[in-house]
Amino acid sequence: MTAKTIFILNGPNLNLLGAREPEIYGRDTLADIEAACAAAAKASGFEIDFRQSNTEGTLVDWVQEADTKAAGLIINPGAYTHTSIALLDALTAATIAKIELHLSNIHAREEFRKHSVTASAADGVIMGFGAAGYILALDALKSLLEKRSA
Ligand code: DQA
């Protein structure tokens, strides 16, 4: 049986993880996080397709692609969380299992970060656990998929 694929999409500036405001986002690089996700996914019988873009339209394209190719989607939309109706619409249209993820607890930060435009399209949101949140999200997605196929 082929492993189910999970898309893990990362938005703007997440390519800078490790160097970018480490007191907020931690010292793990995006490559570290990808490696940890690949290992955790493999142990759960999944494959991951892990991507990052600084461009809103590319993220929209990838959400649409995920809906045709993947069993589930984890997305950290970065700053587009707070602004992107286009991403909200793409996520709303996608019928696969979806988790929104943030390294930081956006509710404990500046006012403008406290609202997520995109979160209403997700099955659930994980935030505030740093890089470990990606592994928590994979776990949550696994149980969502089990529920869906029960
Ligand atoms: C973030 C939170 C956003 O407010 C910010 O713009 C990011 C990262 C997080 O993972 O905590 O780029 O999504």
Side-chain angles (χ1 to χ4, degrees):
M1 199 181 84
T2 22
K4 284 186 173 166
T5 302
I6 306 294
F7 272 36
I8 304 179
L9 304 180
N10 296 280
N13 300 304
L14 292 167
N15 54 312
L16 300 178
L17 284 183
R20 174 193 182 200
E21 299 177 275
E23 64 291 353
I24 296 175
Y25 298 116
R27 298 214 172 263
D28 286 325
T29 65
L30 201 59
D32 294 334
I33 293 173
E34 178 174 4
C37 285
K42 196 175 173 196
S44 297
F46 294 129
E47 270 168 14
I48 57 162
D49 192 329
F50 193 98
R51 306 181 186 185
Q52 188 275 332
S53 174
N54 291 328
T55 305
E56 186 177 18
T58 301
L59 291 163
V60 168
D61 287 342
W62 288 348
V63 169
Q64 292 182 8
E65 185 185 340
D67 200 37
T68 65
K69 293 188 182 161
L73 166 72
I74 296 167
I75 184 165
N76 182 346
Y80 290 133
T81 304
H82 316 295
T83 61
S84 180
I85 309 261
L87 214 41
L88 169 65
D89 286 349
L91 287 164
T92 302
T95 58
I96 53 171
K98 296 160 279 185
I99 294 186
E100 179 167 314
L101 166 80
H102 301 285
L103 293 143
S104 63
N105 176 356
I106 61 173
H107 297 295
R109 300 188 61 196
E110 304 96 320
E111 275 313 308
F112 65 86
R113 287 188 208 275
K114 289 183 179 168
H115 180 63
S116 169
V117 169
T118 47
S120 63
D123 291 284
V125 181
I126 290 174
M127 67 175 82
F129 298 102
Y134 283 79
I135 307 302
L136 296 173
L138 276 168
D139 239 35
L141 205 49
K142 188 178 179 212
S143 65
L144 273 179
L145 293 174
E146 281 165 4
K147 257 193 221 149
R148 281 189 177 212
S149 65

